[in-house]
Amino acid sequence: MAAQVSVILPVHDAEPWLDECLRSVLQQDFQGSMELSVFNDASKDKSMTIIEEWKVKLEGSGIPVVIGGHSCPSPRGVGYSKNQAIAQSSGSYLCFLDSDDVMMPQRVRLQHEAAVRHPTSIIGCQVRREPPNSTERYTRWINQLASDQLLTQVFTSHGPTVVMPTWFCSRAWFSHVGPFDEGGRGVPEDLLFFYNHLRRGGGVVRVDQSLLLYRFRPDAATHAVLESTIWTHRVCFLEERALCHWATFTIWNAGRQGRRLYRSLSEGARRKVVAFCDVDEKKIKKGFYCYEESQARPKPRVPVLHFRAARPPFVICVKLDLTGGAFEDNLSSLRLKEGRDFLHFS
């Protein structure tokens, strides 16, 4: 008989964290039927021994455990492993879990309730970061976005507005959007899935409780993805979802990030840029940015204005939460509506 919820757990050399992770599966207070679907991606440590021991404990408590894996000597990647764990599972809902993270006891129950109410949404939650001070700005962003910002801030360098190890969704919706890209190491499979989800009209909902201990590890697979790869995907998605609807726009930041965005745009999108804006008097005094790499003659010169003299909509290439509130105050003073008058890109 199919479970109501399948916990999807890809595993690769997770020995140091698995006991704590699997104990958190056992401690869920969800009253419906639940199974654990584990896919071993060429682990060389004692991960499988630990999983087999926990299989006995979990099944003794009424949680079936499905274990899969492959015989290749090298790992096939997180996207492949998640797809395989999903394929071998039976639940009507999918609860994603990383092998180094820990669920709070109410996670499955609360996210299942939200997923039933929002069948075409990815359900996330707030997190507690471990170590606590490892990614303070990112953690604040994850936990404090307003509900409408879960859709308006999808273009930033932070990636998905609900972090992947907190995802929970219906199997039917996953099948409609998925599967994950299986390109392996260096492919941002979570980001690509998230973009496809939004293209299909999917929603984003966050349960505003901390339901996951989210561990920061410098050697995690996510750090193998080149920033330039993610940048390219982000620029394409920005053009596809937003810039195509704007006749003209201003880039907020005449510095390195703003100029990089301008140079990265397609020629059609670049022609829509009417100005850069900034607060830096030197940049404003110079009066323009010249696109030296352009093949056009004369080379394009884009005005640089004070932000109060510029006109929306803006693509903002200023990082949030870094200026002691000065940038946020400047933006707030213009009384603009996020999503309509401006979008955050950095």
Side-chain angles (χ1 to χ4, degrees), residues 48-65:
M48 289 313 297
T49 302
I50 296 169
I51 289 163
E52 291 291 351
E53 290 171 354
W54 273 98
K55 177 179 167 75
V56 176
K57 299 176 190 176
L58 288 161
E59 294 193 333
S61 296
I63 302 172
V65 179

Side-chain angles (χ1 to χ4, degrees), residues 277-344:
C277 72
D278 213 296
V279 293
D280 186 318
E281 293 298 337
K282 284 186 180 177
K283 295 186 181 79
I284 296 165
K285 190 172 182 180
K286 183 180 178 183
F288 65 90
Y289 163 69
C290 181
Y291 180 34
E292 296 290 352
E293 295 91 338
S294 174
Q295 300 301 309
R297 294 294 181 271
K299 296 182 187 230
R301 287 191 170 200
V302 184
V304 178
L305 309 172
H306 189 274
F307 77 91
R308 294 199 183 281
R311 68 174 189 263
F314 298 101
V315 176
I316 297 177
C317 294
V318 179
K319 289 188 175 178
L320 295 166
D321 200 13
L322 269 183
T323 59
F327 163 72
E328 287 82 357
D329 288 345
N330 287 338
L331 179 59
S332 178
S333 72
L334 298 181
R335 301 184 182 280
L336 303 173
K337 180 175 174 58
E338 185 170 357
R340 182 192 68 193
D341 302 318
F342 68 91
L343 291 167
H344 288 286

Side-chain angles (χ1 to χ4, degrees), residues 68-270:
H70 62 82
S71 56
C72 298
S74 302
R76 307 241 340 232
V78 182
Y80 175 81
S81 299
K82 283 188 282 207
N83 287 339
Q84 293 300 310
I86 292 164
Q88 71 188 18
S89 70
S90 68
S92 300
Y93 291 88
L94 307 174
C95 175
F96 292 91
L97 178 62
D98 281 1
S99 56
D100 55 350
D101 294 335
V102 181
M103 299 192 287
M104 300 303 108
Q106 67 273 35
R107 180 190 172 189
V108 170
R109 171 172 55 84
L110 293 179
Q111 288 193 298
H112 177 261
E113 289 172 0
V116 170
R117 292 194 303 272
H118 304 280
T120 62
S121 290
I122 290 176
I123 312 299
C125 65
Q126 294 175 327
V127 301
R128 179 163 61 89
R129 199 62 153 145
E130 182 64 37
N133 60 352
S134 52
T135 56
E136 291 179 278
R137 284 179 57 247
Y138 179 50
T139 305
R140 277 195 297 273
W141 184 79
I142 292 168
N143 288 337
Q144 295 177 6
L145 285 174
S147 59
D148 57 335
Q149 290 176 320
L150 296 173
L151 288 174
T152 59
Q153 293 204 14
V154 297
F155 306 105
T156 77
S157 59
H158 287 322
T161 48
V162 286
V163 65
M164 200 282 152
T166 73
W167 287 6
F168 193 111
C169 67
S170 74
R171 176 182 296 274
W173 184 251
F174 175 85
S175 299
H176 181 64
V177 175
F180 289 104
D181 188 293
E182 296 185 358
R185 193 170 176 83
V187 173
E189 78 285 337
D190 300 346
L191 183 67
L192 298 180
F193 184 93
F194 188 68
Y195 284 170
N196 283 334
H197 163 76
L198 295 173
R199 288 182 181 109
R200 298 278 183 145
V204 185
V205 173
R206 188 185 64 221
V207 175
D208 283 336
Q209 290 189 38
S210 180
L211 303 180
L212 190 79
L213 186 147
Y214 179 36
R215 220 179 291 274
F216 174 76
R217 288 170 43 218
D219 62 339
T222 186
H223 302 305
V225 183
L226 294 176
E227 186 273 343
S228 58
T229 299
I230 294 174
W231 175 276
T232 300
H233 286 300
R234 289 171 53 219
V235 172
C236 290
F237 195 65
L238 177 71
E239 290 199 25
E240 172 195 329
R241 301 288 292 184
L243 302 187
C244 66
H245 301 297
W246 290 351
T248 61
F249 64 97
T250 299
I251 295 176
W252 190 317
N253 186 354
R256 183 182 305 166
Q257 287 295 297
R259 297 195 304 266
R260 182 186 180 193
L261 173 61
Y262 177 83
R263 293 192 301 268
S264 300
L265 294 171
S266 66
E267 187 175 346
R270 208 180 295 126

